[in-house]
Amino acid sequence: MHHIRYVGQRLHCESVDLDAVARLHGTPTYVYSAQTITDNYRRLAAGLAGIDLRICYACKANANLAVLRHLANLGAAFDLVSGGELRRVQAAGGSLRHSVFAGVGKTEAEIALALEAGVYGLHVESESELARIDHVAGQLGRRAPIALRVNPDVDARTHAKITTGRSENKFGIPLSRAMAAYATAARLRHLEIRGVQMHLGSQLTSAAPFVEAVEKMAPLVERLKALYGITYFSIGGGLGIAYHDALASGAREWWEARPSDERPLTAEAYGTALRPLLAPLGLQILLEPGRYLTGNAGVLLARVEYLKRGAERNFLILDAAMNDLVRPAMYDAYHELVPLVRDTSRPALTADVVGPVCESGDCFARDRTLQQVSEGEFVAFLSAGAYGAAMASRYNTRPLPAEVLVLGNCFELVKARENFEIMVAGEKIPGFLNA
Ligand code: LLP
């Protein structure tokens, strides 16, 4: 459920008319609904009510400072994977003491930054990393709180590029080696064993893989609690959202009308399936959701630049491109596309929806059917609040898109569109090239 819907014929984010936002701030522009993020956060917390729970928002999904502040205000902690994300949370006023620091390639500088900030736990991916963290903690005269990421080897049944919990992935320590790795950690003087972590992959649409993984992990978790007194079990992120039918999925009736085996995973179903497995562990449970909190809260607004009628197909050429929203090009991901002003009297148009970047891969959708739109009109890609702006690049020297946050009838630019000077600010022409 979310707050992106038509009011009359005009697409709104909460009480804000998106066509007005597009005209005021230009396009491509991401717009986020703060109320949707709030609802998602509360729904997830309610789904696991009764468990000692901490929600650590995975910043990688959308690390805009305003989004982070909003989540911090709701009580969220954060899952960080770089020194940059740590500094963003700091800048947004989030609590680092309750946040965790993950990632397969932590540098010494990042480890020191995380320890100095007093993070709740470093999520460790290998034995070599244990040694490195011990070394850095020793230099700083601290003990580093750690949890090992254990790979439960469970098929998340999601896209190959976003599955992580299989043994062939680069992530985590195999379940069979976990006890030995903990024994190594216990011998290192500057480490404090605090927890255990797992993460299966992203965009999971069923609770079954989570259940399978928690069941596989439970004996280990219990032994770690008895042996080392661990206090938390992080079960990672990965809850999926609706991409198809994204607009309709804003309404409760849509969810209720679907047979339960066709319903994307809800927080309620996730909680109901996991609570009986998690409660007996008697540990604090950390969640690391990214997409679930911000995905359906965001849209990407774009302008129709040209409608090109080719020999065999039509092309709808937008001012947004793969550099603004890379998911379709990178993962063949589907994002629903709707006009900002609906006109049901117009005929349908079937076209390939593309951007202006000079690559055939710059294609958002093939053979997409939507209402006939004219040059100069605006459209929105839905479910773009996670891994949208966060993955944007400046390819083709296109500025990073603008971002707007909405709450009720208020909206504000929370990232200005870049200008040329900012894009080239770090570059210089070396003296030896001066003729
Ligand atoms: N925790 C860990 C250890 C992770 O690696 C991830 C995501 C998360 C939590 C958050 O996962 P989420 O709840 O958002 O599914 N760019 C891809 C998704 C990559 C996810 C990477 N790791 C996409 O656009 O689909």
Side-chain angles (χ1 to χ4, degrees), residues 58 60-61 79 102 149 162 164 171 197 199 201-203 236-239 243 288-292 327 331 386-387 391:
K60 60 173 83 70
D79 167 37
R149 175 168 179 179
I162 51 179
T164 53
F171 299 102
Q197 199 268 356
H199 173 75
S202 204
Q203 184 57 15
L239 279 93
Y243 283 97
E288 303 165 6
R291 190 189 318 262
Y292 180 80
R327 302 193 70 258
Y331 313 115
Y387 307 110
M391 294 178 79

Short mmCIF file of all heavy atoms in Angstrom, two decimals, residues 58 60-61 79 102 149 162 164 171 197 199 201-203 236-239 243 288-292 327 331 386-387 391, ligand 1:
data_model
loop_
_atom_site.label_atom_id
_atom_site.label_comp_id
_atom_site.label_asym_id
_atom_site.label_seq_id
_atom_site.Cartn_x
_atom_site.Cartn_y
_atom_site.Cartn_z
N ALA A 58 18.46 -0.28 5.31
CA ALA A 58 19.62 -0.44 4.42
C ALA A 58 19.74 0.81 3.54
O ALA A 58 19.05 0.97 2.54
CB ALA A 58 19.45 -1.69 3.55
N LYS A 60 21.64 1.78 1.36
CA LYS A 60 22.00 1.66 -0.04
C LYS A 60 20.79 1.81 -0.96
O LYS A 60 20.93 2.20 -2.10
CB LYS A 60 22.70 0.32 -0.31
CG LYS A 60 21.84 -0.89 0.01
CD LYS A 60 22.51 -2.18 -0.43
CE LYS A 60 23.51 -2.71 0.57
NZ LYS A 60 22.90 -3.24 1.82
N ALA A 61 19.60 1.54 -0.43
CA ALA A 61 18.40 1.62 -1.27
C ALA A 61 18.07 3.06 -1.65
O ALA A 61 17.61 3.33 -2.77
CB ALA A 61 17.21 0.98 -0.55
N ASP A 79 21.66 0.26 8.35
CA ASP A 79 22.61 -0.74 7.87
C ASP A 79 23.50 -0.02 6.86
O ASP A 79 23.01 0.45 5.83
CB ASP A 79 21.83 -1.90 7.23
CG ASP A 79 22.70 -2.84 6.44
OD1 ASP A 79 23.83 -3.11 6.86
OD2 ASP A 79 22.24 -3.33 5.38
N ALA A 102 28.32 -3.12 7.41
CA ALA A 102 28.50 -4.38 6.67
C ALA A 102 29.36 -4.14 5.42
O ALA A 102 29.87 -3.05 5.21
CB ALA A 102 27.14 -4.94 6.29
N ARG A 149 28.71 -12.78 9.29
CA ARG A 149 27.66 -13.04 8.32
C ARG A 149 27.78 -14.49 7.88
O ARG A 149 28.80 -14.89 7.31
CB ARG A 149 27.78 -12.12 7.11
CG ARG A 149 26.78 -12.46 6.04
CD ARG A 149 26.69 -11.40 5.00
NE ARG A 149 25.73 -11.75 3.96
CZ ARG A 149 25.46 -10.98 2.94
NH1 ARG A 149 26.06 -9.82 2.82
NH2 ARG A 149 24.58 -11.36 2.05
N ILE A 162 20.75 -10.41 -7.72
CA ILE A 162 20.47 -9.88 -6.38
C ILE A 162 20.23 -10.98 -5.36
O ILE A 162 19.71 -10.73 -4.29
CB ILE A 162 19.32 -8.84 -6.38
CG1 ILE A 162 18.06 -9.37 -7.09
CG2 ILE A 162 19.77 -7.54 -7.00
CD1 ILE A 162 16.89 -8.38 -7.11
N THR A 164 21.97 -13.57 -2.74
CA THR A 164 23.25 -13.53 -2.03
C THR A 164 23.45 -14.68 -1.07
O THR A 164 24.56 -14.91 -0.61
CB THR A 164 23.38 -12.22 -1.21
OG1 THR A 164 22.22 -12.11 -0.39
CG2 THR A 164 23.47 -11.01 -2.10
N PHE A 171 29.30 -13.76 -0.63
CA PHE A 171 28.94 -13.22 0.67
C PHE A 171 29.01 -14.24 1.80
O PHE A 171 28.59 -15.39 1.66
CB PHE A 171 27.53 -12.64 0.62
CG PHE A 171 27.43 -11.51 -0.36
CD1 PHE A 171 26.86 -11.71 -1.61
CD2 PHE A 171 27.92 -10.26 -0.05
CE1 PHE A 171 26.78 -10.68 -2.53
CE2 PHE A 171 27.85 -9.22 -0.95
CZ PHE A 171 27.28 -9.43 -2.20
N GLN A 197 24.67 -12.80 11.73
CA GLN A 197 23.91 -12.14 10.68
C GLN A 197 23.73 -13.06 9.49
O GLN A 197 24.57 -13.95 9.24
CB GLN A 197 24.68 -10.87 10.24
CG GLN A 197 23.86 -9.83 9.50
CD GLN A 197 23.87 -9.99 7.99
OE1 GLN A 197 24.56 -10.84 7.44
NE2 GLN A 197 23.10 -9.17 7.29
N HIS A 199 21.78 -12.79 5.26
CA HIS A 199 20.97 -12.03 4.30
C HIS A 199 20.85 -12.91 3.06
O HIS A 199 21.86 -13.41 2.56
CB HIS A 199 21.63 -10.69 3.97
CG HIS A 199 20.94 -9.94 2.85
ND1 HIS A 199 19.74 -9.29 3.03
CD2 HIS A 199 21.28 -9.76 1.56
CE1 HIS A 199 19.37 -8.75 1.88
NE2 HIS A 199 20.29 -9.01 0.97
N GLY A 201 19.10 -12.25 -0.02
CA GLY A 201 18.98 -11.66 -1.35
C GLY A 201 17.88 -10.63 -1.29
O GLY A 201 17.34 -10.36 -0.21
N SER A 202 17.56 -10.08 -2.44
CA SER A 202 16.65 -8.93 -2.46
C SER A 202 15.42 -9.26 -3.29
O SER A 202 15.45 -10.14 -4.15
CB SER A 202 17.42 -7.77 -3.08
OG SER A 202 16.89 -6.55 -2.69
N GLN A 203 14.34 -8.52 -3.04
CA GLN A 203 13.08 -8.70 -3.78
C GLN A 203 12.55 -10.12 -3.65
O GLN A 203 12.17 -10.77 -4.62
CB GLN A 203 13.27 -8.25 -5.26
CG GLN A 203 12.03 -8.29 -6.14
CD GLN A 203 10.87 -7.45 -5.61
OE1 GLN A 203 11.02 -6.61 -4.75
NE2 GLN A 203 9.67 -7.69 -6.11
N GLY A 236 18.78 -9.84 8.14
CA GLY A 236 18.97 -9.18 6.85
C GLY A 236 17.72 -8.50 6.34
O GLY A 236 16.74 -8.30 7.07
N GLY A 237 17.78 -8.14 5.06
CA GLY A 237 16.64 -7.46 4.43
C GLY A 237 16.03 -8.39 3.39
O GLY A 237 16.02 -9.60 3.58
N GLY A 238 15.54 -7.82 2.31
CA GLY A 238 15.11 -8.64 1.18
C GLY A 238 13.64 -8.70 0.91
O GLY A 238 13.23 -9.29 -0.10
N LEU A 239 12.80 -8.12 1.76
CA LEU A 239 11.36 -8.18 1.48
C LEU A 239 11.04 -7.48 0.17
O LEU A 239 11.45 -6.35 -0.06
CB LEU A 239 10.55 -7.47 2.57
CG LEU A 239 10.31 -8.26 3.84
CD1 LEU A 239 11.39 -7.95 4.84
CD2 LEU A 239 8.95 -7.88 4.41
N TYR A 243 5.92 -4.58 -8.25
CA TYR A 243 6.34 -3.77 -9.41
C TYR A 243 5.25 -3.81 -10.47
O TYR A 243 4.89 -2.79 -11.03
CB TYR A 243 7.68 -4.27 -9.96
CG TYR A 243 8.86 -3.84 -9.11
CD1 TYR A 243 9.40 -4.68 -8.16
CD2 TYR A 243 9.42 -2.57 -9.26
CE1 TYR A 243 10.48 -4.28 -7.36
CE2 TYR A 243 10.49 -2.15 -8.47
CZ TYR A 243 11.01 -3.01 -7.53
OH TYR A 243 12.06 -2.61 -6.74
N GLU A 288 17.13 -5.63 8.18
CA GLU A 288 17.85 -4.66 7.35
C GLU A 288 17.09 -4.40 6.06
O GLU A 288 17.61 -4.61 4.96
CB GLU A 288 19.25 -5.21 7.02
CG GLU A 288 20.09 -5.54 8.23
CD GLU A 288 21.30 -6.40 7.89
OE1 GLU A 288 21.56 -6.65 6.69
OE2 GLU A 288 21.99 -6.84 8.82
N PRO A 289 15.87 -3.94 6.14
CA PRO A 289 15.10 -3.72 4.92
C PRO A 289 15.52 -2.43 4.22
O PRO A 289 15.79 -1.42 4.88
CB PRO A 289 13.67 -3.58 5.44
CG PRO A 289 13.85 -2.96 6.80
CD PRO A 289 15.14 -3.55 7.34
N GLY A 290 15.61 -2.49 2.92
CA GLY A 290 15.85 -1.29 2.13
C GLY A 290 14.63 -1.04 1.26
O GLY A 290 13.79 -0.19 1.53
N ARG A 291 14.49 -1.88 0.24
CA ARG A 291 13.42 -1.73 -0.74
C ARG A 291 12.03 -1.67 -0.11
O ARG A 291 11.20 -0.88 -0.54
CB ARG A 291 13.49 -2.93 -1.70
CG ARG A 291 12.62 -2.81 -2.91
CD ARG A 291 12.58 -4.14 -3.69
NE ARG A 291 13.84 -4.80 -3.80
CZ ARG A 291 14.65 -4.73 -4.88
NH1 ARG A 291 14.29 -4.04 -5.93
NH2 ARG A 291 15.79 -5.39 -4.89
N TYR A 292 11.79 -2.51 0.90
CA TYR A 292 10.45 -2.56 1.47
C TYR A 292 10.03 -1.20 2.04
O TYR A 292 8.87 -0.83 1.97
CB TYR A 292 10.37 -3.63 2.58
CG TYR A 292 9.00 -3.71 3.18
CD1 TYR A 292 7.97 -4.40 2.54
CD2 TYR A 292 8.70 -3.03 4.36
CE1 TYR A 292 6.68 -4.41 3.06
CE2 TYR A 292 7.42 -3.04 4.90
CZ TYR A 292 6.42 -3.74 4.24
OH TYR A 292 5.15 -3.75 4.75
N ARG A 327 17.72 0.15 -13.29
CA ARG A 327 17.20 -1.19 -13.00
C ARG A 327 16.70 -1.94 -14.24
O ARG A 327 17.00 -3.12 -14.40
CB ARG A 327 16.13 -1.16 -11.92
CG ARG A 327 16.62 -0.54 -10.59
CD ARG A 327 15.67 -0.78 -9.42
NE ARG A 327 15.66 -2.17 -9.03
CZ ARG A 327 14.71 -3.03 -9.34
NH1 ARG A 327 13.64 -2.62 -10.00
NH2 ARG A 327 14.80 -4.29 -8.99
N TYR A 331 18.88 -5.16 -14.70
CA TYR A 331 18.27 -6.41 -14.22
C TYR A 331 17.04 -6.82 -15.04
O TYR A 331 16.27 -7.66 -14.56
CB TYR A 331 17.78 -6.26 -12.77
CG TYR A 331 18.73 -5.63 -11.81
CD1 TYR A 331 18.43 -4.40 -11.22
CD2 TYR A 331 19.92 -6.26 -11.45
CE1 TYR A 331 19.29 -3.82 -10.29
CE2 TYR A 331 20.78 -5.68 -10.54
CZ TYR A 331 20.46 -4.46 -9.96
OH TYR A 331 21.29 -3.88 -9.05
N ALA A 386 13.45 2.88 -4.34
CA ALA A 386 14.63 2.15 -3.86
C ALA A 386 15.49 1.76 -5.05
O ALA A 386 14.98 1.29 -6.07
CB ALA A 386 14.21 0.89 -3.10
N TYR A 387 16.80 1.93 -4.92
CA TYR A 387 17.75 1.58 -5.98
C TYR A 387 17.45 2.36 -7.27
O TYR A 387 17.70 1.87 -8.37
CB TYR A 387 17.77 0.06 -6.21
CG TYR A 387 18.02 -0.71 -4.93
CD1 TYR A 387 17.02 -1.47 -4.34
CD2 TYR A 387 19.26 -0.62 -4.29
CE1 TYR A 387 17.24 -2.15 -3.15
CE2 TYR A 387 19.48 -1.29 -3.09
CZ TYR A 387 18.47 -2.06 -2.54
OH TYR A 387 18.68 -2.72 -1.35
N MET A 391 21.29 4.56 -7.41
CA MET A 391 22.16 3.93 -8.42
C MET A 391 22.37 4.83 -9.64
O MET A 391 22.94 4.40 -10.64
CB MET A 391 21.56 2.59 -8.87
CG MET A 391 21.53 1.55 -7.76
SD MET A 391 20.77 -0.01 -8.30
CE MET A 391 22.12 -0.76 -9.21
N1 LLP B 1 21.30 -6.31 4.00
C1 LLP B 1 22.30 -6.70 3.18
C2 LLP B 1 23.46 -7.39 3.75
C3 LLP B 1 22.21 -6.44 1.79
O1 LLP B 1 23.19 -6.83 1.00
C4 LLP B 1 21.07 -5.78 1.27
C5 LLP B 1 20.94 -5.48 -0.15
C6 LLP B 1 20.07 -5.38 2.17
C7 LLP B 1 20.20 -5.68 3.52
C8 LLP B 1 18.82 -4.68 1.70
O2 LLP B 1 18.08 -5.46 0.82
P1 LLP B 1 16.58 -5.06 0.43
O3 LLP B 1 15.77 -5.10 1.70
O4 LLP B 1 16.61 -3.69 -0.14
O5 LLP B 1 16.17 -6.07 -0.55
N2 LLP B 1 20.27 -2.93 -6.69
C9 LLP B 1 19.41 -4.10 -6.60
C10 LLP B 1 19.29 -4.58 -5.18
C11 LLP B 1 20.61 -4.90 -4.51
C12 LLP B 1 20.50 -5.30 -3.07
C13 LLP B 1 21.83 -5.37 -2.43
N3 LLP B 1 21.83 -5.73 -1.03
C14 LLP B 1 18.07 -3.78 -7.23
O6 LLP B 1 17.89 -2.67 -7.74
O7 LLP B 1 17.18 -4.62 -7.28
#
